[in-house]
Amino acid sequence: MNKQLHIQYFHWYYNDHVLLWDKIAREAKNLATLGITNVWLPPAYKATTGGLSVGYDAYDLYDLGEFDQKGTVSTKYGTKEAYVKAIKVLKEHHIDTIADIVFNHKAGADELERVKVRRVNPDNRLEFLSEEFEIDGWTKFNFPGRKEQYSAFVWDHQCFSGIDRAEDLQEEGIFSIQNEYGNTWEDVPSAEMGNYDYLMFNDIETRNPAVREELKRWGEWYYKTCGMDGFRMDAVKHISVSFLNEWIDHMKHTFQRDFFFVAENWVVDNVETMESYLHQTDGRMQLFDSILHHNFFMASKEDQFDMSAIFEGTLLQSHPELSVTFVDNHDSQPLQALESYVDFWFRPLAYALILLRMQGIPCLFYPDLYGCNYSDLGEDGNEVSVELVALQELPVLCRLRKDVAYGQQRDYLDHPNCIGFTREGLDEHPNSGLAVVMSNGEKAFKDMEIGGRHAGKTFTDALGKCQEEVVVNEEGWAQFPCEERSVSVWVVK
């Protein structure tokens, strides 16, 4: 049985003394031991601040830390050579690599061009605030440091639908580029602010067939060069669905490979939006279940959160086969734009819910395995220091997923403060089977069936929260306890 377990192997403020690509090569064996099957790596290409950038302000997709551009050869995470080696080492440990793809925008142009634009209302992108006029815009990318190696394609104003600055006017804003492919925005999935095609920087114009062909050529080059096994698609609600479908189909057809695709379509309160995207993409991509993450966040903050509704309205509930579940990521971590970090006390409960159940593909977050310290400016402009402590329960939960979380699942999601579920286990996995019980209130217990195959067996709490032992009766039932605001995972002694 192939039991997938992903990890996001970075966070926004990654600042370890070991470069990330080198660290992955060192840690591959340990990750395999935990049962991790897929590693999601950050954007690997050169960005606007060279060796400092997280990578989402993408500059040159062909520069993986090979050329002297933006003040550096290496990216924040290392050189191209180290990146390719990291993917190779992961493969040697039977771990697939998921590469992060930024197709919504480019940043850090090399030259100014005279560009026809219209000013746009940032709160309603369908409302134009001016007639057409010309500005000097940073819209030309010719990558002088790369000198046309791998691709001679030059990006100019015909390759973009919008920019955020008029250089000659020294004016920031949203400017719709009036080019031959359209005088308004592309058709994208999100209707927020009228039309959410424009997000930031230079918005890529996928109505231009030359752009589509160049991005397909790049995809071919990227895979041939690095050999990744899948792709995480950034900011898809701002990108033309028809283009992404075309690009995915091209990659699959060209290489006759069923790559793994997962998309970021950040929604917190409307699963119909996610379901609509799945329909438009015809199941080509998994989606990160940001609604489930938001439920975890609210459960960790609200004293009266109804635990029986923890899966209500989530993608995991409606389309479990296409849901990638997570507790937090680089966007929701403290001091980031979508900050909604799940409180520490609830994190073991959340991880038990995504790691030990049948539904969904779980994705760990780097700081939960390693911890991290960083600082950044808070909303008031003052520097804030953050420490995210490694979750001591996480390695145990990962090994339980790999070793014993098998077989029929029975749910007991029937109480506002205490819920549980059991996995009966399978004969081919010795001593498999488990019972999970958790409370967001006082100490509690659940009467649950774990199956007649465990009749007479003694169970103990693998997390060590409860010290007593539980014996399963002849009918396969037992009473499983947990401590207050805690989770216990009961396994065969």
Side-chain angles (χ1 to χ4, degrees):
M1 180 183 294
N2 179 23
K3 185 174 288 218
Q4 289 192 57
L5 175 56
H6 296 210
I7 183 170
Q8 177 180 351
Y9 207 85
F10 67 101
H11 62 97
W12 192 266
Y13 301 96
Y14 181 80
N15 55 2
D16 199 301
H17 66 282
V18 179
L19 291 173
L20 188 65
W21 304 153
D22 295 333
K23 181 159 188 171
I24 289 168
R26 295 184 191 182
E27 286 288 303
K29 182 178 179 180
N30 292 334
L31 297 177
T33 301
L34 290 175
I36 289 169
T37 61
N38 300 67
V39 170
W40 161 23
L41 301 182
Y45 20 83
K46 194 67 58 69
T48 60
T49 50
L52 299 176
S53 175
V54 178
Y56 292 100
D57 51 340
Y59 166 65
D60 184 0
L61 299 183
Y62 286 99
D63 184 357
L64 304 177
E66 183 179 7
F67 304 98
D68 187 358
Q69 299 190 107
K70 298 302 179 184
T72 179
V73 173
S74 172
T75 69
K76 175 178 180 175
Y77 309 112
T79 63
K80 174 187 176 181
E81 182 182 15
Y83 179 60
V84 173
K85 177 186 175 183
I87 294 173
K88 180 175 181 288
V89 172
L90 286 170
K91 209 175 287 287
E92 289 170 356
H93 289 87
H94 309 289
I95 298 174
D96 289 349
T97 296
I98 298 174
D100 208 314
I101 304 294
V102 180
F103 275 165
N104 180 71
H105 50 265
K106 293 182 78 67
D110 301 301
E111 295 180 17
L112 289 164
E113 291 185 299
R114 199 67 180 161
V115 185
K116 293 179 180 179
V117 299
R118 295 176 74 184
R119 286 190 182 88
V120 177
N121 180 351
D123 298 318
N124 178 8
R125 276 63 182 297
L126 298 179
E127 180 185 348
F128 293 97
L129 303 178
S130 75
E131 295 302 315
E132 183 181 291
F133 67 106
E134 290 190 346
I135 64 170
D136 288 339
W138 289 101
T139 52
K140 192 166 187 178
F141 294 75
N142 48 25
F143 316 111
R146 181 158 52 81
K147 297 181 174 62
E148 298 188 354
Q149 189 167 340
Y150 307 129
S151 172
F153 188 82
V154 174
W155 294 72
D156 62 17
H157 67 278
Q158 298 287 356
C159 301
F160 303 107
S161 61
I163 52 175
D164 59 0
R165 179 175 173 81
E167 185 65 27
D168 53 333
L169 304 178
Q170 294 291 292
E171 180 183 338
E172 308 283 342
I174 298 178
F175 300 91
S176 170
I177 294 177
Q178 309 296 286
N179 62 37
E180 64 182 270
Y181 304 103
N183 56 12
T184 187
W185 305 111
E186 292 193 64
D187 182 21
V188 298
S190 177
E192 295 172 56
M193 291 176 278
N195 173 294
Y196 216 173
D197 179 17
Y198 187 83
L199 177 63
M200 61 179 70
F201 303 123
N202 295 42
D203 191 80
I204 291 177
E205 174 65 272
T206 62
R207 290 172 296 196
N208 182 338
V211 167
R212 294 200 302 273
E213 291 309 307
E214 171 63 8
L215 292 177
K216 284 189 278 189
R217 280 195 299 271
W218 172 77
E220 294 178 28
W221 171 86
Y222 195 23
Y223 173 67
K224 290 175 182 176
T225 301
C226 303
M228 66 288 291
D229 305 279
F231 303 93
R232 181 260 185 188
M233 313 303 289
D234 182 61
V236 297
K237 69 182 184 180
H238 310 283
I239 306 173
S240 161
V241 174
S242 63
F243 162 67
L244 288 180
N245 286 346
E246 181 182 327
W247 191 85
I248 289 171
D249 290 346
H250 175 79
M251 291 294 289
K252 289 184 174 181
H253 175 75
T254 299
F255 297 106
Q256 293 297 298
R257 276 207 58 176
D258 190 22
F259 294 103
F260 182 91
F261 289 93
V262 58
E264 179 217 16
N265 188 348
W266 194 273
V267 177
V268 297
D269 58 2
N270 187 356
V271 73
E272 288 80 12
T273 301
M274 287 186 165
E275 292 170 338
S276 173
Y277 193 80
L278 293 176
H279 176 72
Q280 292 175 67
T281 55
D282 198 22
R284 286 175 173 85
M285 291 181 263
Q286 310 272 329
L287 290 181
F288 285 107
D289 200 340
S290 49
I291 299 177
L292 180 62
H293 152 75
H294 187 70
N295 284 1
F296 290 158
F297 172 64
M298 298 307 295
S300 77
K301 296 292 187 183
E302 295 180 359
D303 291 337
Q304 302 302 318
F305 186 88
D306 182 356
M307 289 291 287
S308 68
I310 195 73
F311 298 119
E312 288 298 316
T314 66
L315 191 67
L316 185 70
Q317 182 184 55
S318 66
H319 289 77
E321 75 285 0
L322 294 175
S323 171
V324 174
T325 57
F326 67 102
V327 178
D328 272 295
N329 70 11
H330 64 292
D331 286 318
S332 67
Q333 74 181 98
L335 304 182
Q336 275 304 290
L338 300 173
E339 180 176 341
S340 48
Y341 195 71
V342 176
D343 274 3
F344 192 76
W345 75 269
F346 194 80
R347 301 184 80 75
L349 286 70
Y351 269 116
L353 287 169
I354 68 173
L355 286 172
L356 302 180
R357 294 172 61 77
M358 296 174 66
Q359 295 83 3
I361 297 174
C363 184
L364 314 180
F365 188 34
Y366 180 98
D368 289 320
L369 197 59
Y370 297 99
C372 65
N373 292 273
Y374 60 88
S375 62
D376 201 352
L377 297 182
E379 291 183 358
D380 59 2
N382 295 317
E383 187 164 296
V384 178
S385 295
V386 174
E387 180 182 13
L388 303 181
V389 181
L391 201 63
Q392 64 179 10
E393 297 93 343
L394 190 55
V396 179
L397 290 170
C398 290
R399 293 187 181 98
L400 291 173
R401 174 180 176 80
K402 184 176 71 166
D403 296 337
V404 301
Y406 295 95
Q408 180 181 345
Q409 179 175 294
R410 296 178 176 91
D411 285 339
Y412 298 86
L413 312 176
D414 52 3
H415 191 277
N417 302 116
C418 180
I419 60 173
F421 61 92
T422 64
R423 301 290 301 275
E424 188 165 331
L426 295 171
D427 290 338
E428 56 264 39
H429 295 278
N431 292 322
S432 63
L434 55 78
V436 177
V437 61
M438 63 185 67
S439 170
N440 69 347
E442 60 189 20
K443 184 174 180 177
F445 62 85
K446 300 293 288 184
D447 288 305
M448 300 190 293
E449 181 182 3
I450 194 169
R453 69 195 302 269
H454 296 292
K457 292 181 182 178
T458 300
F459 280 66
T460 59
D461 181 7
L463 298 180
K465 312 285 188 181
C466 294
Q467 301 306 312
E468 61 259 52
E469 297 181 344
V470 171
V471 178
V472 178
N473 70 19
E474 293 178 0
E475 286 77 39
W477 286 73
Q479 187 176 95
F480 299 97
C482 69
E483 296 297 316
E484 64 176 320
R485 301 222 312 176
S486 183
V487 57
S488 289
V489 182
W490 297 90
V491 298
V492 177
K493 182 178 179 180

